[in-house]
Amino acid sequence: MRPAGNTISDYSDISSDFTVLSLNRRVSELLSTAFPQPVWVRGEIAEVSDSNARGHTYFRLIEPSPDGMGQPLAVIDCALFAGSRPLVVRQFARAGEVFQLTEGMTLRIGGRITLWDKGGRYQLIVEQIDPSWTMGDQAHRLRRLVDKLRKDGILEINSELRMPLAPLNIGLITAQGSAAEQDFVQGLAESRFPFRIFAAYAPMQGDGTTRGVIDAFNRLLAVPDIEVVVLSRGGGSSTDLAWFNDEHIAGVISQVPWPVISAIGHETDTTLPDYASHTSVRTPTHAANYLVNRIADLMLNIDSLAVMLHRAASRGVARARERLSSTAAVLLRSGMMIFRTQRQEISALENWLLRGARSSISAASGRLEQCGLSFESVLKTGALRRLEKDLDSLERTLALSVSRRLEMCSMHLQNLEAAVTGNSPQRLYRKGWATVRGINGELLRSISDTTIKEKIEVTLRDGSLSALIERITPGRTDNE
């Protein structure tokens, strides 16, 4: 169907006829007239081709859809010719970056709008790229990603895991043979602590970074002894390090069972694993120092605790020794008091026995006098012999009774004296006895009151000994 208002005669002017090439050249001239100066265009790189034999690089610059999921809103072909590439490389080098075009990278490109007349392709000829805008955009994208993951609660999960006091079994994710690996391993080796390293190698830049890092974490899950994992990469450009700004890597860090230490880049570099890991350090060397210092601090705390325990034990032993001396003095005073009391009782008993003996002798003398008075009558009755026998028997009975009573009193007195003097601690010590106390100052009365390797305090007549139990040999008890 022909557009309204147009007829065949509208196209009859020969000046309106173009060949394909002339038409393309005419359009190219119009573009040059419309855009006589270079323009700046912002967009995201897609479909980067490798440099051809002439050193030219071709790619597409797109404007992504708002949700980042659908078709791009617009596309323009771009060409970075070999003659312009050195200028762009120098621009990035002055900004401390290594120039490398990668898909997904956001750029601000300065160039000329042209139409390639032979191919009829509208394109942007790249003359320069703004590295500061590129880096600022990467930082902005990282901040938005951090805010999103923090809102989802992913960034805090790994930091809530308990860092071991003495982590010696270390998982290491890095590039095989890299300077990062060498610096980290050397830092641990120089400490002389018995670290064990379980390495899982992965690409540290490029398209395979995310998949490789996730696979490395999965391989370490099969190692049962790992306590801490270090994710390590040496320095590089922000573009190189931007490969770690992937939420899938942060998601895996939130799911692993051990604390993760992020050691990516140099002092001023920040990547997503720094936010998602338990601990973030600036370089692989700092990661090694962190682990070494943790072990050293623990050993220092143990030494300090040992000194404190020794001092506390010494004070406890001194107090126990003072209590023992005080108790011994009290026992000695109590023994002397008991001894004096028993001596008084013995003296009273002795006086009672003497009085009894005198009374018995007086009574016997009275009976003897009566016998003498009646002696004559006895002679007369012929009973003298019987009286003599009775008198002899009475005398023997009396003497025997007094002798036994005196012996019993003497034995009782000796027993009392032995009980008093035998229980004196100093007397027991002089006889070769000793007292043994445990570490808590309590007397040991049985081998069940102590254990092997326990310290004991042995008190003798002229001092005390500290000993360590090496063997316990049961003996017969009183009930066996």
Side-chain angles (χ1 to χ4, degrees):
M1 183 175 181
R2 185 176 300 158
N6 292 332
T7 64
I8 292 296
S9 61
D10 295 331
Y11 305 100
S12 60
D13 187 356
I14 192 65
S15 62
S16 300
D17 288 344
F18 293 95
T19 65
V20 174
L21 180 60
S22 63
L23 177 62
N24 287 345
R25 286 177 176 175
R26 177 61 175 161
V27 173
S28 177
E29 292 173 357
L30 293 174
L31 284 175
S32 298
T33 302
F35 299 97
Q37 302 295 329
V39 297
W40 288 97
V41 182
R42 299 185 302 273
E44 183 178 303
I45 292 181
E47 301 180 23
V48 180
S49 65
D50 295 333
S51 299
N52 60 19
R54 295 183 179 181
H56 306 325
T57 303
Y58 301 94
F59 59 94
R60 310 187 82 184
L61 197 66
I62 67 172
E63 182 174 344
S65 61
D67 59 4
M69 302 296 292
Q71 291 294 322
L73 298 180
V75 179
I76 184 172
D77 291 331
C78 300
L80 175 60
F81 294 140
S84 299
R85 188 180 186 90
L87 174 62
V88 175
V89 171
R90 286 195 298 271
Q91 288 174 328
F92 272 76
R94 282 195 293 268
E97 295 291 316
V98 176
F99 175 69
Q100 182 179 6
L101 293 175
T102 56
E103 292 193 18
M105 186 177 180
T106 303
L107 298 179
R108 180 172 179 260
I109 297 175
R112 292 178 291 106
I113 304 298
T114 66
L115 181 73
W116 182 36
D117 52 11
K118 293 184 179 180
R121 187 169 66 242
Y122 163 73
Q123 62 185 359
L124 174 65
I125 305 301
V126 179
E127 294 180 346
Q128 55 183 325
I129 299 176
D130 184 359
S132 61
W133 190 92
T134 300
M135 292 184 291
D137 183 71
Q138 289 177 353
H140 180 65
R141 293 175 61 186
L142 174 60
R143 174 50 56 189
R144 284 187 300 174
L145 185 56
V146 168
D147 292 341
K148 172 182 178 296
L149 296 179
R150 178 168 287 124
K151 183 178 179 180
D152 295 339
I154 292 177
L155 300 184
E156 291 76 19
I157 295 177
N158 193 261
S159 64
E160 294 173 353
L161 297 176
R162 176 182 172 273
M163 178 69 72
L165 291 176
L168 294 173
N169 300 314
I170 313 300
L172 175 62
I173 299 177
T174 190
Q176 186 173 13
S178 63
E181 179 186 19
Q182 296 173 5
D183 292 345
F184 179 76
V185 172
Q186 182 179 357
L188 296 187
E190 290 176 351
S191 71
R192 302 298 181 92
F193 292 132
F195 287 104
R196 292 199 300 166
I197 301 175
F198 303 90
Y201 298 114
M204 291 289 108
Q205 69 182 58
D207 293 334
T209 301
T210 298
R211 183 72 264 166
V213 169
I214 293 175
D215 289 344
F217 274 114
N218 288 329
R219 292 197 299 274
L220 291 178
L221 287 172
V223 182
D225 297 332
I226 288 181
E227 299 171 279
V228 175
V229 170
V230 176
L231 177 59
S232 177
R233 185 202 190 281
S237 67
S238 59
T239 303
D240 294 336
L241 301 180
W243 291 106
F244 289 93
N245 298 333
D246 190 304
E247 61 182 300
H248 295 92
I249 294 178
V252 170
I253 292 176
S254 70
Q255 297 174 18
V256 295
W258 349 264
V260 175
I261 298 175
S262 174
I264 299 173
H266 287 313
E267 297 286 343
T268 58
D269 297 321
T270 302
T271 59
L272 185 59
D274 294 333
Y275 295 95
S277 59
H278 182 285
T279 301
S280 172
V281 296
R282 289 307 178 192
T283 66
T285 301
H286 285 125
N289 292 340
Y290 173 85
L291 295 171
V292 170
N293 291 338
R294 193 166 182 85
I295 304 296
D297 291 343
L298 176 63
M299 295 183 64
L300 181 61
N301 291 336
I302 291 175
D303 291 341
S304 300
L305 182 60
V307 172
M308 293 173 60
L309 289 174
H310 176 72
R311 291 175 180 173
S314 299
R315 289 194 295 268
V317 170
R319 288 194 295 268
R321 184 173 291 148
E322 291 175 359
R323 289 197 299 269
L324 180 61
S325 300
S326 177
T327 302
V330 170
L331 289 175
L332 184 59
R333 289 194 298 270
S334 299
M336 295 302 296
M337 292 176 62
I338 294 173
F339 179 75
R340 285 194 293 270
T341 302
Q342 295 292 335
R343 177 173 290 175
Q344 292 174 358
E345 293 178 357
I346 293 171
S347 298
L349 180 60
E350 183 179 5
N351 292 334
W352 179 77
L353 290 173
L354 291 175
R355 288 195 300 272
R358 291 193 187 97
S359 176
S360 298
I361 292 173
S362 297
S365 298
R367 288 196 297 272
L368 183 58
E369 289 178 359
Q370 290 179 1
C371 290
L373 294 174
S374 60
F375 181 70
E376 292 180 357
S377 61
V378 171
L379 290 176
K380 292 179 180 179
T381 59
L384 179 59
R385 191 176 300 274
R386 287 195 302 275
L387 288 175
E388 289 179 350
K389 292 180 180 181
D390 291 339
L391 183 58
D392 292 339
S393 177
L394 180 61
E395 183 178 3
R396 287 193 299 271
T397 300
L398 178 61
L400 181 60
S401 176
V402 171
S403 176
R404 288 180 178 176
R405 191 67 174 269
L406 289 174
E407 287 178 1
M408 291 176 61
C409 291
S410 178
M411 289 177 63
H412 183 62
L413 180 62
Q414 292 176 359
N415 291 335
L416 290 175
E417 183 178 6
V420 171
T421 59
N423 289 328
S424 171
Q426 296 300 324
R427 181 179 180 85
L428 292 175
Y429 290 154
R430 286 194 297 271
K431 289 183 176 182
W433 291 86
T435 55
V436 182
R437 295 180 181 273
I439 192 171
N440 56 359
E442 298 293 333
L443 282 173
L444 302 183
R445 295 180 171 83
S446 170
I447 60 175
S448 62
D449 293 340
T450 185
T451 59
I452 297 295
K453 300 298 183 181
E454 182 175 310
K455 289 185 178 181
I456 59 173
E457 187 81 11
V458 181
T459 302
L460 303 172
R461 175 179 60 85
D462 54 353
S464 61
L465 303 173
S466 294
L468 185 68
I469 295 179
E470 294 184 352
R471 186 180 62 216
I472 297 177
T473 304
R476 294 180 59 85
T477 63
D478 295 339
N479 296 328
E480 294 179 344

